Amino acid sequence: MASATSLTTLEDEVNCPICQGILREPVTIDCGHNFCRSCLTRYCEIPGPEPGLLPSSQEQIHRCLEFLKNEREDIRRIQSREDQRIQVLLAQIATKREKVISEFEHMCWFLERQQYLLLTELEELGGDILKQKNEFECLVQNEICRFNALISELKEKLERPAKELLKDIRSTLIRCETRKCRKPEAVSPDLGERIRDFPQQALQLQKEIKMFLEKLLFELDYEPAHIFLDPQTAHPKLLLSEDLHQAQFSYKWQTSLDSPLRFDRAICVLAQAGFVGGRHTWVIAVDLAHGGSCTMGVVNQDVQRKGELKFRPEEGIWAVRLAWGFVSALGSFPTRLSLEENPRQIRVSLDYEVGWVTFSNATTQEPIYTFTTSFIGKIFPFFGLWGRGSSFSLNP
């Protein structure tokens, strides 16, 4: 019996389910069935089942055909997804290309301007050196002429008789003793200081170039985030612009429907889109004309929307606050930061995988603060505002 079963299994493996004959140019598809290449090709081309096939064979073919069709659809879906991904990558590359061109054009203009200023300063220094050289030579010649005159006068008196030599000798000696040589300087102290301090201008240029390279590398590494504010989350005291790139504080409550998404006590708003990975950066321009405050950073998608909101990492908020001329990092305990310059534009940079939220002065590139954490779930850009006339706007 076992032998008969083995023969049946062997027969199934060497026979084609379509023509029931020995396999010719056998083809094995992913489901494990074997077919003649010509039979499978012919069967896939006709709309209905092949006449003369046994029901079991038809079922096998139909199952295999459905399997192949599903595999084909999977490949098409993969192709579509990858095409979309390629289009996105090409668009990121185009954005980076424009950024590189823009940054280098600006740097070229800056370098040309600095070259002009440095060469102008060198020409002025050269002109002042020649001017003082001429003044020095004129002074030296005058002194030489004065002493030559005194020497000639004394020689002339020595040739006179003794009686005449003593005449007016006292006044002559007094003039010789009192007319000491003035010691002129070829380079004045002021000009010397200007020459000495000139390399400092080149050091400043070196600093600017270093900042440019750091900024360029940073912007090539991080994706500019195109952020739109979400009206559904905005507190009623926030006026949003039509393009959803700006917000302004208002003491008057706006007419808006309450929803679980909307902040009802904290005067805040989220971005429409969040992030679940990658490196992203955006810039906030802040205007606190009357001493208000502006808070910015990122939050977890499930951040508390109702009631009092505590701005700290334990609550899923990583943010800094500008208020009354100071910048504070809102950690477990707020920390006032010491900065060289009070920023008007702040760059926020998110590295999701590493877990960094970095804040810097978008104008000077001065670092402000970095939070380190581990993100879980979707993270949203977050903004808070308070104070009459206070506002902010978003830039990529």
Side-chain angles (χ1 to χ4, degrees), residues 244-268:
L244 300 177
H245 283 161
Q246 300 178 358
Q248 184 175 2
F249 176 87
S250 172
Y251 284 107
K252 181 180 179 181
W253 284 56
Q254 311 304 306
T255 303
S256 55
L257 296 175
D258 190 20
S259 74
L261 300 177
R262 191 179 305 281
F263 292 95
D264 66 349
R265 297 210 31 202
I267 306 175
C268 302

Side-chain angles (χ1 to χ4, degrees), residues 296-327:
M296 64 205 68
V298 299
V299 299
N300 280 331
Q301 62 179 349
D302 56 355
V303 68
Q304 180 178 331
R305 313 291 176 93
K306 306 300 180 183
E308 183 180 358
L309 185 62
K310 296 180 180 179
F311 298 86
R312 58 189 186 187
E314 292 82 353
E315 304 298 324
I317 300 176
W318 299 268
V320 300
R321 174 176 292 157
L322 276 70
W324 301 285
F326 298 99
V327 181

Side-chain angles (χ1 to χ4, degrees), residues 114-179:
Q114 292 301 309
Q115 180 189 36
Y116 170 78
L117 293 175
L118 291 175
L119 291 178
T120 300
E121 178 67 16
L122 286 174
E123 290 178 2
E124 291 178 355
L125 285 173
D128 290 343
I129 291 173
L130 290 176
K131 179 182 177 182
Q132 291 197 10
K133 172 180 177 295
N134 293 332
E135 292 175 352
F136 171 77
E137 290 178 349
C138 182
L139 180 61
V140 168
Q141 289 300 319
N142 289 336
E143 288 296 297
I144 291 175
C145 290
R146 183 169 63 85
F147 281 102
N148 284 338
L150 287 174
I151 291 171
S152 298
E153 182 179 350
L154 288 176
K155 286 182 177 180
E156 189 267 336
K157 287 185 178 295
L158 285 174
E159 294 176 354
R160 294 180 183 180
K163 184 178 179 180
E164 293 185 7
L165 176 64
L166 295 177
K167 187 179 179 180
D168 297 330
I169 188 62
R170 181 176 178 79
S171 62
T172 301
L173 293 175
I174 290 174
R175 283 191 295 118
C176 292
E177 291 174 357
T178 56
R179 295 297 296 273

Side-chain angles (χ1 to χ4, degrees), residues 63-198:
R63 286 198 300 269
C64 293
L65 187 59
E66 288 301 316
F67 177 83
L68 291 175
K69 288 181 178 178
N70 291 334
E71 289 292 302
R72 182 183 62 188
E73 291 305 314
D74 287 342
I75 292 296
R76 286 176 176 174
R77 282 193 292 270
I78 293 172
Q79 180 186 19
S80 177
R81 185 175 65 247
E82 291 302 309
D83 285 344
Q84 292 178 359
R85 184 185 177 197
I86 290 173
Q87 291 302 318
V88 170
L89 291 175
L90 288 175
Q92 290 168 359
I93 293 297
T95 301
K96 290 182 182 296
R97 181 179 182 276
E98 292 175 0
K99 193 66 179 176
V100 168
I101 292 174
S102 174
E103 291 296 331
F104 271 92
E105 285 179 349
H106 176 77
M107 193 60 185
C108 288
W109 174 86
F110 172 79
L111 290 175
E112 289 176 357
R113 176 66 178 169
Q114 292 301 309
Q115 180 189 36
Y116 170 78
L117 293 175
L118 291 175
L119 291 178
T120 300
E121 178 67 16
L122 286 174
E123 290 178 2
E124 291 178 355
L125 285 173
D128 290 343
I129 291 173
L130 290 176
K131 179 182 177 182
Q132 291 197 10
K133 172 180 177 295
N134 293 332
E135 292 175 352
F136 171 77
E137 290 178 349
C138 182
L139 180 61
V140 168
Q141 289 300 319
N142 289 336
E143 288 296 297
I144 291 175
C145 290
R146 183 169 63 85
F147 281 102
N148 284 338
L150 287 174
I151 291 171
S152 298
E153 182 179 350
L154 288 176
K155 286 182 177 180
E156 189 267 336
K157 287 185 178 295
L158 285 174
E159 294 176 354
R160 294 180 183 180
K163 184 178 179 180
E164 293 185 7
L165 176 64
L166 295 177
K167 187 179 179 180
D168 297 330
I169 188 62
R170 181 176 178 79
S171 62
T172 301
L173 293 175
I174 290 174
R175 283 191 295 118
C176 292
E177 291 174 357
T178 56
R179 295 297 296 273
K180 293 182 179 180
C181 175
R182 290 183 292 174
K183 297 179 179 178
E185 293 180 330
V187 179
S188 67
D190 178 66
L191 182 58
E193 289 181 3
R194 287 172 58 195
I195 296 172
R196 182 197 64 197
D197 295 340
F198 177 79

